[in-house]
Amino acid sequence: MDVDDIDRGIVVALQRDARATFAEIGAEVNLSAPAVKRRVDRLLASGAIRGFTAVVDPVALGWSTEAYVEVSYSGVVSPRRLTEDFSGVPEAVSAWTVSGVPDAVVQVQTRDVRHLEEVLQRIRGLPDVTGTQTEIVLSRLFRRTQD
Amino acid sequence: MDVDDIDRGIVVALQRDARATFAEIGAEVNLSAPAVKRRVDRLLASGAIRGFTAVVDPVALGWSTEAYVEVSYSGVVSPRRLTEDFSGVPEAVSAWTVSGVPDAVVQVQTRDVRHLEEVLQRIRGLPDVTGTQTEIVLSRLFRRTQD
DNA sequence: CATGAAAATGTAGCCCA
DNA sequence: TGGGCTACATTTTCATG
């Protein structure tokens, strides 16, 4: 499947406002509303667009503490295994593996530092986890689309 | 302004699917469509919901390299200054300050490793930047809402 | 891909608890 | 104050060309 410039324009418009009407998007990319809908459906089916989400201010919702936790394992762990491990932590917003010292990094969002400590204890209690190193976010400088 | 459990339910529904209809959301939180709209409008006005965005698979759009760059500065730099610095880097998706060794962390999304190198050079060329340490994302394990 | 019509949804006003 | 209901405008959606 190939993605052309019109598709990219639609994606940009949807990243800016996922609730924009197809007609509004069409005005930006010079297409009729049904044509835009067909392309969006295709982008969704192909996986290029994974979904639409609300960008929330966690502070306003009472979740003010955000941290990046670098997790080290003993031995080799598969991405599949890591995904299973961290999916079981509801406070984990996202997780990924990196080139570098830690085996994985997990982004967590908690109500406060006490709550973060509890999450860290749970992560450290996972099988084969040898250690964690945590960077608490002091100030979110900016966030372009999704973070 | 206070956010109650119904608001939180609406937020959860919108994070899962930002293009859900107000009636669909209402069915989840036991409210009529107009009532849901009023609450969403209020959450938007108060800033609790900052907007709606498409969650995109960068790989499918030809942007396959993602990295977290830890940036160190000489001396003290204000968050305002950091925001200005990194806003000028289009490839920077998000940036934040952390408790720990680096002064700031920048998430960047590039087409490939060559493009990443170019971005790193630009960041290292910023005034007072003393060094960077980069973790390239090997595999994105999961992403709950926005990342 | 555009057009046009039918169905679904968004939106505002009004009344009630 | 906040939610339901009604009515009208807009949008989605599917047919057709």
Side-chain angles (χ1 to χ4, degrees):
Chain A
M1 193 227 49
D2 56 59
V3 175
D4 63 18
D5 284 338
I6 296 178
D7 286 328
R8 273 184 278 273
I10 291 173
V11 167
V12 168
L14 282 170
Q15 284 184 313
R16 199 173 47 239
D17 178 13
R19 285 186 76 88
T21 67
F22 292 132
E24 283 166 354
I25 300 164
E28 287 194 45
V29 297
N30 288 95
L31 236 56
S32 68
V36 173
K37 178 195 171 355
R38 272 206 301 270
R39 280 173 179 263
V40 171
D41 287 344
R42 189 167 53 85
L43 288 165
L44 277 168
S46 75
I49 296 177
R50 295 175 48 177
F52 304 100
T53 188
V55 181
V56 156
D57 180 359
V59 176
L61 293 163
W63 288 63
S64 55
T65 303
E66 187 179 3
Y68 291 81
V69 184
E70 305 182 340
V71 184
S72 301
Y73 278 77
S74 64
V76 180
V77 280
S78 66
R80 182 188 159 78
R81 160 75 184 288
L82 293 170
T83 303
E84 282 168 13
D85 277 7
F86 299 123
S87 297
V89 180
E91 291 87 350
V93 173
S94 181
W96 56 95
T97 57
V98 293
S99 63
V101 177
D103 290 304
V105 183
V106 188
Q107 181 188 3
V108 298
Q109 188 82 51
T110 59
R111 288 187 298 278
D112 49 38
V113 176
R114 187 188 307 263
H115 185 186
L116 172 61
E117 280 192 272
E118 183 199 306
V119 173
L120 288 175
Q121 282 191 327
R122 254 183 283 147
I123 291 175
R124 288 201 209 97
L126 292 170
D128 302 321
V129 168
T130 56
T132 60
Q133 195 188 323
T134 303
E135 289 175 349
I136 296 179
V137 173
L138 298 178
S139 163
R140 175 68 60 173
L141 300 169
F142 67 90
R143 213 189 280 259
R144 202 93 67 179
T145 54
Q146 76 253 32
D147 101 79
Chain B
M1 203 232 38
D2 56 59
V3 175
D4 62 18
D5 285 337
I6 297 177
D7 287 327
R8 272 184 279 271
I10 291 172
V11 167
V12 168
L14 282 170
Q15 284 183 313
R16 198 173 48 239
D17 179 12
R19 284 185 78 86
T21 65
F22 291 132
E24 283 166 354
I25 299 164
E28 287 195 45
V29 297
N30 288 98
L31 237 55
S32 70
V36 172
K37 178 190 165 11
R38 277 196 290 261
R39 280 175 179 261
V40 172
D41 286 345
R42 188 167 53 85
L43 288 165
L44 277 168
S46 75
I49 296 177
R50 295 173 49 175
F52 304 100
T53 188
V55 181
V56 156
D57 180 0
V59 176
L61 293 163
W63 288 63
S64 57
T65 303
E66 186 179 3
Y68 290 81
V69 185
E70 305 182 341
V71 185
S72 300
Y73 278 78
S74 65
V76 180
V77 281
S78 65
R80 182 188 160 79
R81 160 75 183 288
L82 293 169
T83 303
E84 282 168 13
D85 278 5
F86 298 124
S87 297
V89 181
E91 291 86 351
V93 173
S94 181
W96 56 95
T97 57
V98 293
S99 63
V101 177
D103 290 305
V105 183
V106 188
Q107 182 189 0
V108 299
Q109 188 82 51
T110 60
R111 287 187 298 278
D112 49 38
V113 176
R114 187 186 307 265
H115 184 185
L116 172 61
E117 280 190 272
E118 183 199 308
V119 173
L120 288 174
Q121 283 192 326
R122 253 183 284 146
I123 291 174
R124 287 201 210 95
L126 291 171
D128 303 321
V129 168
T130 56
T132 60
Q133 195 188 322
T134 303
E135 290 174 348
I136 295 179
V137 173
L138 298 179
S139 163
R140 174 68 59 172
L141 301 169
F142 68 90
R143 213 189 280 259
R144 199 96 64 181
T145 54
Q146 74 258 34
D147 106 77

